[in-house]
Amino acid sequence: NDIQFLSEYINPTYLTPKSITDIQEWFEEESSVQLRHFFNEKWASKIQASVLDVDSKDNVGRGKSAIDYTVGVSDDWKPVGPAHKQRFLEYVGDAALKEISETTMAADSSTTTTTTTTPATQSGELLLHLKKTIFESPIFGRLIENFTSLGIPIGCRGKIRRFRPGLDYTIAHYGILTKESVLDATVCFVAGSGNQSQGIDAEDNDD
C-alpha cells in the first residue's frame, strides 16, 4: 500500500494519520509548512554522506574560501544563471544516463566499456533516483493531497540543484511569478552542525 511504499524513504513520523491531519490543518492555516527530517534515517544518512563527499572533493564549504566558479561544473552538472538573479548547478545527468543506456544496448556484445563515476555524478544519480521514484510517483501525489487538501497534482516539474558553499544563490524576481497558482514543494539538504541543520526531535511539537 501507499504507506508501506512511502515508509521505505520517508520518516514514518509524517505518515501517521494524526501527523497527516496536523500537517493539513497547519497548511490550511498558514499556506505553507516545513517538515524537518523528511527522509528516514537510511536515506538521510546516504544523502548526507554523498553530498558532503562532493564538497570535500571540490574543497568547498566548512569555512573555506570559494573563488572558483568552475568548481563542480561538468557534463552532469551545468551552471544556471543569469548572475543578477541566480547562480547554481543543475543536474542534467538524466539525459546522459539515457544516452549511455541506448549506446550500450546498440553496441556489440563483445565490446567492453569502462566508465568512471565521480562523487558528483553519484550524488546526482542518488537525487535523481529520489526524484523519479518518490516525487514523481502517483503515491507521493496522493500524499501531497492529504498534506494540503488541494487535490491530487495534475502535473509536476522539478530540478535537482546544487548550491556550492560561498558561490551560489537565488533571489526572488519577477520571472518566477506564474499566471496560475502552483504548489511549490522543495527538499533541502543543508550541511552543518548547528540547531538549524539538526532540526528538532520528532516528539517536540513546539515548532
Side-chain angles (χ1 to χ4, degrees), residues 9 37-49 189:
Y9 296 89
H37 304 298
F38 187 69
F39 288 102
N40 60 30
E41 182 62 29
K42 171 187 174 182
W43 281 96
S45 298
K46 187 180 297 188
I47 295 166
Q48 181 184 45
F189 302 99

Side-chain angles (χ1 to χ4, degrees), residues 67-80:
I67 56 176
D68 184 3
Y69 290 103
T70 66
V71 165
V73 176
S74 68
D75 290 339
D76 290 329
W77 291 92
K78 299 295 186 182
V80 176

Side-chain angles (χ1 to χ4, degrees), residues 95-113:
L97 289 174
K98 289 181 180 179
E99 291 176 1
I100 291 173
S101 177
E102 292 171 357
T103 301
T104 302
M105 292 176 62
D108 185 89
S109 59
S110 63
T111 302
T112 301
T113 302

Side-chain angles (χ1 to χ4, degrees), residues 2 14 38 56 87 100 132 134 137 144-145:
D2 286 8
Y14 293 126
F38 187 69
S56 176
R87 179 187 289 118
I100 291 173
K132 296 291 187 182
I134 292 292
S137 70
I144 289 294
E145 178 187 29

Side-chain angles (χ1 to χ4, degrees), residues 8-54:
E8 291 292 324
Y9 296 89
I10 296 173
N11 187 336
T13 299
Y14 293 126
L15 302 177
T16 66
K18 183 180 185 305
S19 292
I20 291 175
T21 299
D22 290 344
I23 292 168
Q24 184 183 104
E25 291 177 352
W26 183 279
F27 183 86
E28 290 175 346
E29 180 70 23
E30 302 292 335
S31 296
S32 67
V33 64
Q34 183 181 90
L35 307 177
R36 297 184 181 182
H37 304 298
F38 187 69
F39 288 102
N40 60 30
E41 182 62 29
K42 171 187 174 182
W43 281 96
S45 298
K46 187 180 297 188
I47 295 166
Q48 181 184 45
S50 177
V51 297
L52 289 178
D53 187 36
V54 175

Side-chain angles (χ1 to χ4, degrees), residues 23-207:
I23 292 168
Q24 184 183 104
E25 291 177 352
W26 183 279
F27 183 86
E28 290 175 346
E29 180 70 23
E30 302 292 335
S31 296
S32 67
V33 64
Q34 183 181 90
L35 307 177
R36 297 184 181 182
H37 304 298
F38 187 69
F39 288 102
N40 60 30
E41 182 62 29
K42 171 187 174 182
W43 281 96
S45 298
K46 187 180 297 188
I47 295 166
Q48 181 184 45
S50 177
V51 297
L52 289 178
D53 187 36
V54 175
D55 281 352
S56 176
K57 291 292 191 300
D58 287 341
N59 200 33
V60 296
R62 304 297 185 183
K64 300 173 183 175
S65 300
I67 56 176
D68 184 3
Y69 290 103
T70 66
V71 165
V73 176
S74 68
D75 290 339
D76 290 329
W77 291 92
K78 299 295 186 182
V80 176
H84 68 283
K85 295 181 180 179
Q86 59 191 7
R87 179 187 289 118
F88 56 83
L89 301 185
E90 180 182 355
Y91 181 69
V92 295
D94 189 17
L97 289 174
K98 289 181 180 179
E99 291 176 1
I100 291 173
S101 177
E102 292 171 357
T103 301
T104 302
M105 292 176 62
D108 185 89
S109 59
S110 63
T111 302
T112 301
T113 302
T114 302
T115 58
T116 302
T117 303
T118 65
T121 299
Q122 292 176 342
S123 177
E125 291 177 354
L126 180 63
L127 295 173
L128 179 64
H129 171 75
L130 295 177
K131 178 176 180 288
K132 296 291 187 182
T133 305
I134 292 292
F135 300 122
E136 295 182 0
S137 70
I139 292 178
F140 189 75
R142 291 192 287 271
L143 181 65
I144 289 294
E145 178 187 29
N146 290 328
F147 278 169
T148 65
S149 68
L150 294 177
I152 296 178
I154 59 175
C156 67
R157 61 179 180 180
K159 294 181 178 180
I160 298 173
R161 302 181 296 178
R162 178 190 177 191
F163 289 85
R164 298 160 297 177
L167 294 174
D168 297 332
Y169 53 86
T170 182
I171 60 175
H173 56 88
Y174 183 79
I176 65 176
L177 299 179
T178 60
K179 294 182 179 180
E180 299 180 355
S181 297
V182 297
L183 177 67
D184 284 330
T186 304
V187 180
C188 299
F189 302 99
V190 181
S193 57
N195 292 333
Q196 285 296 99
S197 298
Q198 295 173 352
I200 58 173
D201 293 334
E203 293 79 13
D204 189 346
N205 296 319
D206 294 332
D207 189 43

